[in-house]
Amino acid sequence: MDRTTAWLATAGPDPFPAPAVLPAEVDAVVVGGGLAGVATAYWLARSGWAVLLAERGPLARGASGRNAGVFLPAPRPLEHPGLLRSVLAEEGIDAGFRRTGHLALSSSTAVLAEVRAEVARRSPDAPPLRALDRPECEKKAGMPIAPRYAGGRWASDGHVVHPVRLVHGLAAAAHRRGACVATRTPVRDVVPGRRRGWRVHTARGPVEASHVVFACAAETGTFHPGLGEVITPMRGQVLATGALPPMGAPAMAVDFGSVYWRQTDDGAVVLGGCRSADPGAETGTRAEQLNPAIQRALSAFLAATFPGFPPHTVTGRWAGIMDQTADGRPLAGALPGGARQWVIAGFGGHGLPPALGTARALAVTMTTGRPDPLLAPLDPARFGGSR
């Protein structure tokens, strides 16, 4: 059984070997090579800054390469899919980004009532949202659905993406714009600098930097212990099937993401969730271990949800660590008390839609010295423990 994620296995050769030499000085060091860190490095390099992106392993080795590749934007400016679409086109990145729509099956009439209430209060300028009955859900899914589902939530603006190809493409674009992408380069500590504001000690030597950005998810607390009290690691379980015939189904979920899945371009179904099978074991851990109870629930899910679902084998299983804040909103902005130290983390299980826009707003704040108002709800200072 392969524990390499479907995304890492199909992303092609690793495009970023470890560098032989690091720059002695840069404008900013970004710590973390997931989507948030790579996107921040991209926008900073695009602004003309000298940037070092330091990642302890390969790019997208953490949560950015361990999700289902579902891009379901909320009606917030930082999550608009048009930004990602324009960057992919401008930089010539093929990340498999396409609009499929998103169907979330309602597991009870109570959940369906919540969906209808959400639709009723939806702003007219927000992406379209509809409540569907079960026959309408079956039509969208292209297959029968178990009677226990009362209906569903249809979001026509749902997309899918190959998350590792996205990270690799943005990193390559940042590199073209002058950023140094240093994979397999762990950051050991950050101390006051001699020539610049900060001296970043890495496994490949020190780098002087005017700014440091921590984009290392639940590991952010390693550098700022106060943030360890704000960000809780949450483990997620995922599996992938062997190739199946194209089903034409949208990206899908149960309720508000308790289970989630989509079919990849090569026919595999990537399925994650089922945390309710053993929730206690998945909270507060940073170990990317498989949970047998949850994996059994995932294995049984497709056949139980879709009567007559095609026979299939499970070809891969993996786990990933998400970073959840107490109020469910990311952290993005200046670290209180840390002059020219910044954070972009805490996206939980909803990082794909907002990461690029949040990183751009952070880069604008850093390079202009004027806080982007879009970051106000994400200000780390809202948590006293982060000081």
Side-chain angles (χ1 to χ4, degrees):
M1 183 66 62
D2 190 356
R3 293 196 183 185
T4 300
T5 79
W7 313 118
L8 291 168
T10 58
D14 186 348
F16 293 100
V21 179
L22 299 183
E25 297 186 25
V26 293
D27 295 310
V29 170
V30 179
V31 185
L35 178 56
V38 168
T40 302
Y42 167 75
W43 289 115
L44 289 174
R46 182 168 169 152
S47 75
W49 276 26
V51 181
L52 169 67
L53 176 73
E55 163 56 41
R56 67 182 180 184
L59 296 182
R61 171 60 180 77
S64 294
R66 295 177 173 274
N67 54 67
V70 176
F71 187 105
L72 179 61
R76 290 186 285 266
L78 291 175
E79 302 190 21
H80 197 285
L83 176 62
L84 178 55
R85 188 177 296 111
S86 65
V87 169
L88 294 178
E90 181 178 356
E91 302 293 352
I93 299 170
D94 179 9
F97 187 60
R98 57 187 174 87
R99 183 173 178 170
T100 60
H102 186 275
L103 176 64
L105 303 178
S106 298
S107 63
S108 67
T109 55
V111 172
L112 185 57
E114 289 185 54
V115 171
R116 288 180 173 139
E118 181 187 6
V119 171
R121 64 176 180 267
R122 189 82 159 185
S123 169
D125 57 353
L129 188 68
R130 289 175 54 202
L132 305 181
D133 59 24
R134 193 164 64 84
E136 289 175 306
C137 290
E138 291 181 324
K139 186 174 181 181
K140 291 288 187 186
M143 64 189 88
I145 295 172
R148 67 177 178 277
Y149 294 101
R153 176 186 188 274
W154 171 248
S156 60
D157 207 28
H159 290 67
V160 296
V161 68
H162 191 300
V164 174
R165 288 179 183 162
L166 171 59
V167 171
H168 285 179
L170 284 175
H175 179 70
R176 288 194 298 271
R177 295 173 183 270
C180 175
V181 179
T183 61
R184 299 160 182 85
T185 305
V187 171
R188 292 171 173 163
D189 62 16
V190 179
V191 300
R194 300 172 184 173
R195 297 181 300 278
R196 301 257 187 156
W198 300 103
R199 187 174 180 85
V200 180
H201 289 117
T202 80
R204 298 183 185 279
V207 178
E208 294 275 334
S210 300
H211 298 255
V212 180
V213 182
F214 297 98
C216 37
E219 299 298 326
T220 304
T222 302
F223 300 97
H224 287 271
L227 290 178
E229 302 171 5
V230 171
I231 300 175
T232 301
M234 306 283 286
R235 188 166 58 200
Q237 301 285 327
V238 187
L239 65 73
T241 73
L244 292 166
M247 291 179 277
M252 298 181 70
V254 171
D255 295 339
F256 300 100
S258 60
V259 192
Y260 46 90
W261 66 99
R262 46 87 48 117
Q263 188 172 33
T264 68
D265 291 345
D266 61 4
V269 172
V270 177
L271 169 73
C274 289
R275 181 189 301 275
S276 61
D278 190 9
E282 302 297 278
T283 301
T285 178
R286 297 182 186 180
E288 294 174 344
Q289 295 178 346
L290 298 182
N291 184 312
I294 294 178
Q295 288 289 338
R296 284 193 297 271
L298 289 172
S299 295
F301 177 81
L302 292 171
T305 301
F306 302 105
F309 192 85
H312 58 278
T313 58
V314 174
T315 57
R317 300 182 189 271
W318 63 88
I321 307 300
M322 299 172 282
D323 51 337
Q324 184 70 48
T325 64
D327 61 8
R329 299 199 307 269
L331 301 170
L335 282 170
R340 296 187 174 184
Q341 289 196 15
W342 312 81
V343 64
I344 177 168
F347 289 94
H350 189 71
L352 279 174
L356 187 65
T358 305
R360 181 174 67 170
L362 181 61
V364 167
T365 299
M366 293 172 62
T367 56
T368 66
R370 297 187 297 273
D372 190 313
L374 291 175
L375 294 185
L378 313 182
D379 189 347
R382 70 187 189 272
F383 294 112
S386 64
R387 294 182 181 274

